[in-house]
């Protein structure tokens, strides 16, 4: 069915038909159809195969969709910035939420899962404790990778070339007096994360906000995502005490990794 018969506003001179079709292409992916070929997208959206291909190639170049070796397209995490189609298509939030909930219950702290998108972490799912927090985040929100524990874990999974490019081209913002913005110091922090297998960040994204993160690994031991717990109270006490939750967090990361193991690696790269 043509879009002009679906939406009475199409006849208005302000209506942008190409935007309408592009959004319809994005929204055609869902839990029952997370991966689609060009012809399937054309049939589901009611646009021509040639137009569907152009829209998919454009969305792929912008980072909203990916394409596998079998020419099947799928939503990438960047689509979260437009809504929750990505989560709906693969059910990530529902799959990992029980793990985050149980980790939050065991530690008494908020627990989150994120991936790396460009220079930021993108929150995929979150279990929020009853404790008050200074910064409120939810799935789809982003924070700078350099100032967050999950960000440093994810940065530790980059190749040396990728990390060099990130440190050489990123402008680092100081959110507090404790935020590390010097590229050389960040390189040292990330090297330490690679060695010890976890990251603790204290008061860098917000005063008194302390978090510990560990990697979520894929079938080839690659870092696909990161999971953390965070709290907000006095700096020194929490920096020391939050480390006691490391074993619980590592178990959760292993569980999440197994749940997400069947997803293509491309889902986790921007």
């Amino acid at each position: 069915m043509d879009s002009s018969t679906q939406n009475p506003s199409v006849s208005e001179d302000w209506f942008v038909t190409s935007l309408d079709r592009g959004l319809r292409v994005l929204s055609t992916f869902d839990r029952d159809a997370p991966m689609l070929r060009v012809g399937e997208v054309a049939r589901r959206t009611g646009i021509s195969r040639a137009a569907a291909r152009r829209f998919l190639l454009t969305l792929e170049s912008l980072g909203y969709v990916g394409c596998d070796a079998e020419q099947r397209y799928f939503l990438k995490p960047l689509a979260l910035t437009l809504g929750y189609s990505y989560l709906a298509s693969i059910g990530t939030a529902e799959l990992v939420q029980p793990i985050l909930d149980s980790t939050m219950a065991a530690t008494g702290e908020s627990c989150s899962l994120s991936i790396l998108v460009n220079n930021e972490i993108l929150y995929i799912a979150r279990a929020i404790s009853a404790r008050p927090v200074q910064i409120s985040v939810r799935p789809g929100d982003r924070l700078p990778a350099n100032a967050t524990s999950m960000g440093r874990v994810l940065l530790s999974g980059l190749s040396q070339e990728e990390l060099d490019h990130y440190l050489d081209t990123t402008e680092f913002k100081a959110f507090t007096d404790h935020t590390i913005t010097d590229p050389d110091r960040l390189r040292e922090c990330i090297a330490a994360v690679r060695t010890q297998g976890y990251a603790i960040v204290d008061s860098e994204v917000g005063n008194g906000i302390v978090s510990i993160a560990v990697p979520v690994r894929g079938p080839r031991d690659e870092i696909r995502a990161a999971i953390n717990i965070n709290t907000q109270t006095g700096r020194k006490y929490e920096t020391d005490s939050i480390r006691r939750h490391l074993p619980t967090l590592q178990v959760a990361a292993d569980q999440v990794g197994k749940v997400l193991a069947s997803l293509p690696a491309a889902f986790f790269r921007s």
Side-chain angles (χ1 to χ4, degrees):
M1 183 181 294
D2 185 79
S3 61
S4 62
T5 63
Q6 292 183 349
N7 193 326
S9 298
V10 171
S11 60
E12 300 290 344
D13 57 9
W14 48 260
F15 191 87
V16 182
T17 302
S18 60
L19 177 59
D20 169 55
R21 291 180 176 181
L23 292 174
R24 285 164 57 199
V25 168
L26 279 176
S27 63
T28 195
F29 295 90
D30 56 31
R31 187 174 304 169
D32 296 326
M35 306 187 78
L36 297 168
R37 292 184 170 85
V38 172
E40 295 170 318
V41 171
R43 286 193 298 272
R44 289 168 68 93
T45 57
I47 63 179
S48 70
R49 183 185 178 91
R53 182 176 182 274
R54 290 196 300 272
F55 282 118
L56 286 167
L57 289 174
T58 300
L59 291 167
E60 183 181 17
S61 70
L62 294 173
Y64 291 105
V65 304
C67 184
D68 67 7
E70 298 179 23
Q71 295 301 301
R72 297 178 301 177
Y73 289 87
F74 52 87
L75 292 181
K76 295 188 72 175
L78 190 60
L80 272 173
T81 61
L82 302 178
Y84 292 93
S85 294
Y86 173 70
L87 291 179
S89 72
I90 63 173
T92 301
E94 293 182 6
L95 290 172
V96 303
Q97 194 63 50
I99 301 172
L100 302 190
D101 289 342
S102 63
T103 305
M104 184 268 289
T107 63
E109 310 293 357
S110 296
C111 182
S112 305
L113 178 73
S114 73
I115 60 170
L116 187 65
V117 176
N118 297 323
N119 297 336
E120 299 173 308
I121 62 169
L122 175 66
Y123 280 81
I124 300 298
R126 181 164 164 81
I128 304 175
S129 74
R131 292 192 180 190
V133 292
Q134 180 179 347
I135 296 179
S136 176
V137 293
R138 57 188 177 181
D141 286 346
R142 300 189 189 197
L143 285 176
N146 67 292
T148 57
S149 61
M150 288 191 290
R152 290 184 188 167
V153 164
L154 292 166
L155 290 171
S156 74
L158 297 180
S159 68
Q160 194 58 52
E161 182 180 0
E162 291 171 325
L163 181 59
D164 288 342
H165 178 75
Y166 167 79
L167 293 172
D168 291 341
T169 60
T170 304
E171 183 176 349
F172 301 112
K173 173 184 176 182
F175 293 90
T176 73
D177 293 339
H178 305 286
T179 307
I180 298 175
T181 59
D182 178 72
D184 290 334
R185 286 191 62 196
L186 284 171
R187 190 186 302 275
E188 293 174 0
C189 290
I190 294 166
V193 172
R194 283 175 173 165
T195 300
Q196 64 194 18
Y198 66 91
I200 293 180
V201 168
D202 184 352
S203 297
E204 293 194 40
V205 75
N207 285 315
I209 297 177
V210 186
S211 65
I212 183 171
V214 298
V216 174
R217 297 185 179 273
R220 298 181 179 179
D221 204 38
E222 76 279 15
I223 295 178
R224 287 186 159 191
I227 184 173
N228 87 338
I229 57 171
N230 69 275
T231 190
Q232 179 179 345
T233 51
R235 295 188 65 245
K236 184 180 188 320
Y237 171 77
E238 288 301 329
T239 301
D240 294 337
S241 66
I242 200 170
R243 192 179 283 104
R244 75 180 187 274
H245 297 308
L246 180 59
T248 301
L249 198 58
Q250 289 171 326
V251 169
D254 183 61
Q255 293 173 338
V256 171
K258 291 176 180 177
V259 167
L260 303 182
S262 62
L263 297 179
F267 275 117
F268 304 94
R269 298 302 297 269
S270 61

